[in-house]
Amino acid sequence: MMETSARLLRLLSLLQAHREWSGAELAERLRVTSRTVRRDVERLRTLGYPVHSTTGTAGGYRLGAGAELPPLLLDDDEAVAVAVGLRTAAHNAVQGMEESSVRALAKLEQVLPDRLRRRVSALAAFTAPLGGRRGPAVGVETITDLVNACRDRLQLRFTYRGHDGSGSRRTVDPYRLVCSSHRWYLVGWDAGRADWRTFRVDRLTLTPPHGPRFAPRQPPAEDWAAYVSEGISTAAYPQRATVLLHAPAERVAERIAPTAGVLEPLDGRTCLLRTGAPSLDEMALHVLMLGFDFEVREPDGLGERIEELADRLGRAARAWRTDGEGRGRG
């Protein structure tokens, strides 16, 4: 009985993690026969889980929305409370919970009966958090749709509005969603550009239906968050710089967001900052306002610009000192 129960939980986890499985795939994953898979599917149905099946060469099993809430050890009020909490976490980008909240919400809403979906939607529609947002709002339905497409490897089509307001149509293989400072980014392979691209989710409008499925590619980096951070804080700007800061990376991280630069710890006392800006003047002010001693590693033009600004500031300080002394004697 324990072996059967563990296998049922494993089967349920597989059905929740993927949109559709063939009987042969499930049998291989569970290390049982196809006949055992069919019996286990019937057991899940008996327990209230809406497992749908299709026949033929392209047939398989998938977990659908049911008329009743499956036995998750939650009553209706608890299920609604969990869904609302996950929506809140997804909208407000609770640190360390953004992606996992969306994934959990996608699983929960997939099996919520209609009566509970209406309650969750009503609570979301007629409640408002106090406090401003640091980024544009993105509908949780859009986020959930994108997460499902990443999970199921479904190609997306959408219109995208660039920073200059121009629009374009894109066909993209989605891989990851990354959230930073209440702003969501989609990383995917842009078929039209034949390259990896990062898209701000608030600037895209999905044009369903999604698909077909795509074969996975080698990711552009092991750390998706670091890849997006570098892309939006450095690579997106015409002027880029590397600066040695005489402060531990932990202290610097308190003053600079991942969207403003990428930090590389060195010896516990210093770190490298890679960042970008529209101009060298803005770059110099950005680094200066961090409040740490620093050395410019690259480009040379930034060092030269800092020298010019230092001379100008020196002249202003000397003029202020002379005028101040004159006013004091008067």
Side-chain angles (χ1 to χ4, degrees), residues 15-282:
L15 291 171
Q16 288 180 326
H18 204 291
R19 183 168 294 275
E20 188 164 349
W21 295 90
S22 69
E25 289 174 328
L26 290 174
E28 181 181 357
R29 289 294 188 100
L30 298 171
R31 297 182 180 180
V32 296
T33 65
S34 296
R35 183 178 180 182
T36 300
V37 169
R38 289 194 295 271
R39 286 201 302 264
D40 286 348
V41 166
E42 287 303 320
R43 290 189 179 100
L44 288 178
R45 289 169 176 164
T46 302
L47 292 172
Y49 290 94
V51 183
H52 303 311
S53 60
T54 55
T55 58
T57 55
Y61 298 97
R62 64 182 177 86
L63 189 64
E68 300 295 334
L69 182 67
L72 301 175
L73 301 181
L74 299 174
D75 60 26
D76 284 5
D77 290 339
E78 290 170 339
V80 171
V82 170
V84 171
L86 291 170
R87 277 179 175 263
T88 301
H91 273 305
N92 293 303
V94 178
Q95 186 176 13
M97 295 178 59
E98 303 91 348
E99 294 185 34
S100 54
S101 297
V102 173
R103 288 197 304 270
L105 180 61
K107 292 179 181 179
L108 182 59
E109 290 197 336
Q110 188 177 21
V111 295
L112 278 179
D114 288 340
R115 68 178 186 278
L116 298 188
R117 282 205 191 99
R118 287 194 293 270
R119 288 177 60 183
V120 172
S121 298
L123 283 168
F126 295 100
T127 59
L130 180 64
R133 299 183 62 90
R134 288 178 288 169
V138 176
V140 70
E141 294 80 7
T142 299
I143 297 295
T144 303
D145 211 9
L146 292 175
V147 168
N148 288 336
C150 292
R151 179 194 65 190
D152 298 332
R153 299 202 302 268
L154 293 176
Q155 194 173 73
L156 295 173
R157 284 170 290 277
F158 54 82
T159 56
Y160 190 69
R161 176 174 50 84
H163 67 278
D164 59 355
S166 61
S168 60
R169 294 183 179 275
R170 304 296 183 96
T171 300
V172 173
D173 298 344
Y175 280 77
R176 285 294 188 280
L177 279 178
V178 176
C179 183
S180 177
S181 300
H182 295 277
R183 184 166 287 167
W184 287 92
Y185 298 90
L186 172 69
V187 184
W189 177 265
D190 191 322
R193 276 71 176 173
D195 198 2
W196 293 95
R197 288 290 189 271
T198 301
F199 304 94
R200 270 180 48 178
V201 174
D202 60 287
R203 290 178 176 173
L204 65 81
T205 302
L206 294 171
T207 55
H210 308 321
R213 289 187 177 178
F214 58 88
R217 295 175 179 271
Q218 181 68 30
E222 293 184 3
D223 188 333
W224 292 96
Y227 175 79
V228 171
S229 177
E230 182 176 2
I232 62 179
S233 67
T234 306
Y237 292 97
Q239 300 293 339
R240 306 170 193 176
T242 300
V243 178
L244 175 68
L245 297 174
H246 291 271
E250 295 77 10
R251 286 187 59 198
V252 179
E254 296 174 356
R255 302 190 183 186
I256 184 168
T259 54
V262 178
L263 292 174
E264 179 185 339
L266 294 179
D267 54 11
R269 300 185 303 275
T270 60
C271 62
L272 285 178
L273 169 64
R274 294 181 177 86
T275 186
S279 68
L280 291 178
D281 283 349
E282 292 185 47

